Amino acid sequence: MMKTITLALLAAGVLSACSMAPKYVRPDAPVAAEYGVPSKADNNQVRAVDIGWRNFFTDPRLQVLIGNAIANNRDLRVAALRIEEARALYNIQSADLLPTLNVNATGSRARVPASISNTGSSVVSSNYQVGLGLAAFELDFFGRVRSLSDAALAAYLSTEEAQRAAQISLVSEVAKAYLSERSFAEQQDLARQTYESRVEAYKLSKQRFEVGASSALDLRNDEALLQTARAAELLAQRQRAQAMNALTLLVGQPLTDLPPAQALSSQTILTDIPAGLPSDLLTQRPDIRSAEQTLLSANANIGAARAAFFPRISLTAGLGTSSNELAGLFEGGSRSWSFAPQLVLPIFDAGRNRGNLNLAEVRKDIAVANYEKSIQVAFREVSDALVARDLLDQQVEAQRLVQEAQAERFKFATQRFQNGIASSLDVLDAQRELFTAQLSLVQVRLTRLTNAVDLYRSLGGGLVETTVATAPAATPAPATIK
């Protein structure tokens, strides 16, 4: 009996290697072979995916914030728990590949009254059994169980990649929230300084108006500029507070005991990141790898759906001892066994199996579309960041020159007004344009830094803490955005 069961299990193990799942072929990337913008690619440069976030973000305060976010962010914690959930589901599913053996021990006593007994007198019977049981083990001749296990494994790996993608997004979101807070802080300081300087100008204008040296129009123009600066300060203050709230949520704990903050204009960041080719994204982006694992899972489910059309064979067996007396369980001649193979051949199921197969195939088509879309989204994100990279460098420089020109204009207008050559309207207009240029410079600096963060994220950077050394490559030197 044991020989028969052993041979059946060995045969099941050999035949379970058979799978009816379609052969997986990775879909072609639905994007161009190269980005539309020339990349500063260099084979000797470290890829973004190998650049640690501590090397990319050199601000000590930002480094602490990112480290705390990775440790405490609740969304990232849920993503990690999803991995544990998927791993448990895979372990449950893969357990069906092996037989389940149980030790069974039963005992019963029953009394049959004389009125229904065959002997005409009451009978008390006993039955005791101890043995090893094999519970409904499916012989996976057509790979149904194997396909379900493969699908569960791919789902687990997809969840793992999704967690990595969540960390990359978290690192970039913390960085952008911090840079936004720094931008609003600079705008608030700039507006406060402008307001304080305009308070003095307004006092002088009011004195001139009271002695008849200037008109009410000049006084109201000065007052309008004064309140404009005040309104800008209050707006920046509100935006800064909201940015701090967003940063606190991302970090997952109160923002205390942090290193001193650096000004936005003092931020150093890696700008010369090689983008490589679009095909590199398939290995660099965890979200693309996650989508492909989902596709693999859907492909394996087709194999399970196809196998449902074929016979399903399962074994139930038991080996042990039986006796009508507890003391006689292990005496000679008490051995007992049972062997109950079962064959289920689907004949008519009202189209259920066909529907399940169609469903599996449609879900695979959906997974293919999602996989291709994830590649297209990644291609667009990198392309957008590359387009903006060089142009934003030029825009920052142009805006800096605009600010310098407006500062000179304001100085000359003030001198001409003091000498009686220009009117107060010229001074007010120059002052207003200078303030606008200063705010615009802060905003374009923020846009440039945010673009660098977006390029780093879109190329898969943010998973490792420190740069992975790859000879002969060296970590690119940080470039200060002025």
Side-chain angles (χ1 to χ4, degrees):
M1 177 59 197
M2 287 301 297
K3 182 178 180 181
T4 303
I5 295 177
T6 302
L7 290 175
L9 294 178
L10 289 175
V14 173
L15 293 174
S16 63
C18 173
S19 175
M20 304 194 72
K23 181 180 179 181
Y24 175 73
V25 178
R26 174 183 286 177
D28 295 332
V31 293
E34 296 181 353
Y35 299 110
V37 179
S39 171
K40 300 177 182 179
D42 186 347
N43 293 331
N44 291 327
Q45 287 182 308
V46 181
R47 301 177 306 167
V49 70
D50 296 324
I51 299 175
W53 52 262
R54 287 192 180 276
N55 298 90
F56 189 82
F57 303 108
T58 58
D59 187 336
R61 187 184 184 95
L62 179 54
Q63 290 179 350
V64 172
L65 291 172
I66 293 176
N68 291 341
I70 293 175
N72 300 299
N73 181 266
R74 298 310 187 269
D75 289 334
L76 193 60
R77 187 173 299 177
V78 169
L81 293 174
R82 292 294 185 194
I83 295 177
E84 299 301 321
E85 178 188 32
R87 181 187 291 117
L89 290 173
Y90 167 63
N91 290 335
I92 293 172
Q93 186 62 59
S94 62
D96 290 340
L97 292 171
L98 299 175
T100 300
L101 299 177
N102 300 308
V103 174
N104 301 317
T106 61
S108 65
R109 286 178 60 84
R111 179 182 182 277
V112 179
S115 59
I116 61 173
S117 173
N118 293 331
T119 62
S121 61
S122 62
V123 177
V124 176
S125 62
S126 302
N127 184 18
Y128 300 96
Q129 295 180 348
V130 175
L132 186 66
L134 172 66
F137 174 61
E138 181 177 345
L139 302 181
D140 196 23
F141 290 115
F142 302 101
R144 189 188 74 87
V145 178
R146 171 63 64 183
S147 293
L148 291 175
S149 177
D150 291 342
L153 175 61
Y156 158 62
L157 295 177
S158 174
T159 306
E160 195 171 38
E161 294 294 350
Q163 189 270 343
R164 294 190 179 100
Q167 177 176 327
I168 289 176
S169 296
L170 176 63
V171 169
S172 66
E173 289 303 317
V174 170
K176 290 196 288 187
Y178 172 72
L179 294 174
S180 295
E181 186 274 332
R182 291 288 81 212
S183 170
F184 295 135
E186 287 198 17
Q187 293 181 51
Q188 182 181 355
D189 292 341
L190 179 61
R192 182 175 61 254
Q193 295 169 6
T194 303
Y195 174 77
E196 292 172 353
S197 66
R198 288 179 180 179
V199 167
E200 298 301 322
Y202 176 72
K203 289 180 180 179
L204 293 175
S205 180
K206 188 175 182 180
Q207 292 174 358
R208 289 171 57 85
F209 172 73
E210 290 173 349
V211 298
S214 64
S215 65
L217 178 61
D218 293 336
L219 179 63
R220 294 310 174 194
N221 284 332
D222 282 327
E223 184 179 6
L225 281 181
L226 176 68
Q227 297 305 324
T228 298
R230 178 59 177 164
E233 179 185 1
L234 293 174
L235 174 61
Q237 183 178 355
R238 174 179 62 82
Q239 291 174 326
R240 183 184 181 186
Q242 291 175 339
M244 288 292 292
N245 292 336
L247 191 57
T248 302
L249 177 62
L250 289 170
V251 173
Q253 67 178 31
L255 306 181
T256 57
D257 300 327
L258 297 175
Q262 294 182 2
L264 193 69
S265 57
S266 302
Q267 293 293 327
T268 56
I269 202 166
L270 295 177
T271 57
D272 193 15
I273 304 176
L277 297 175
S279 58
D280 297 335
L281 296 176
L282 302 182
T283 57
Q284 294 176 1
R285 296 261 305 214
D287 56 334
I288 295 178
R289 297 199 300 266
S290 176
E292 185 173 16
Q293 290 296 336
T294 301
L295 174 56
L296 285 167
S297 178
N299 191 73
N301 281 326
I302 292 179
R306 286 177 176 176
F309 287 90
F310 295 88
R312 186 179 304 177
I313 302 174
S314 60
L315 297 179
T316 299
L319 178 65
T321 65
S322 301
S323 176
N324 57 3
E325 294 181 2
L326 184 60
L329 270 177
F330 300 100
E331 293 181 353
S334 63
R335 187 181 63 165
S336 64
W337 57 267
S338 65
F339 180 62
Q342 183 181 26
L343 172 66
V344 177
L345 177 63
I347 296 177
F348 176 74
D349 60 2
R352 181 177 290 105
N353 286 339
R354 174 58 61 183
N356 285 332
L357 178 57
N358 292 338
L359 176 63
E361 291 174 342
V362 169
R363 285 178 173 172
K364 180 186 176 181
D365 292 339
I366 294 174
V368 170
N370 287 333
Y371 172 69
E372 292 176 341
K373 181 180 178 181
S374 66
I375 296 175
Q376 291 175 335
V377 170
F379 179 84
R380 179 195 170 182
E381 289 176 350
V382 176
S383 298
D384 286 348
L386 290 175
V387 167
R389 180 165 64 178
D390 295 335
L391 296 179
L392 280 171
D393 285 336
Q394 299 175 34
Q395 186 177 353
V396 169
E397 179 62 19
Q399 190 61 47
R400 186 182 64 81
L401 295 176
V402 169
Q403 176 187 309
E404 292 178 355
Q406 292 294 347
E408 290 296 315
R409 176 192 175 193
F410 174 64
K411 182 178 70 173
F412 292 148
T414 302
Q415 293 174 351
R416 287 169 60 85
F417 173 72
Q418 292 173 348
N419 294 329
I421 301 176
S423 66
S424 61
L425 292 178
D426 295 331
V427 177
L428 294 176
D429 184 62
Q431 192 176 27
R432 180 172 57 252
E433 293 297 331
L434 173 60
F435 181 55
T436 300
Q438 291 171 330
L439 291 179
S440 297
L441 180 58
V442 174
Q443 292 167 357
V444 75
R445 281 174 176 164
L446 173 63
T447 303
R448 177 63 189 92
L449 290 168
T450 300
N451 169 258
V453 175
D454 286 337
L455 180 59
Y456 180 58
R457 176 194 59 80
S458 61
L459 291 174
L463 273 180
V464 296
E465 185 171 348
T466 55
T467 298
V468 178
T470 53
T475 304
T480 302
I481 297 178
K482 299 180 180 181

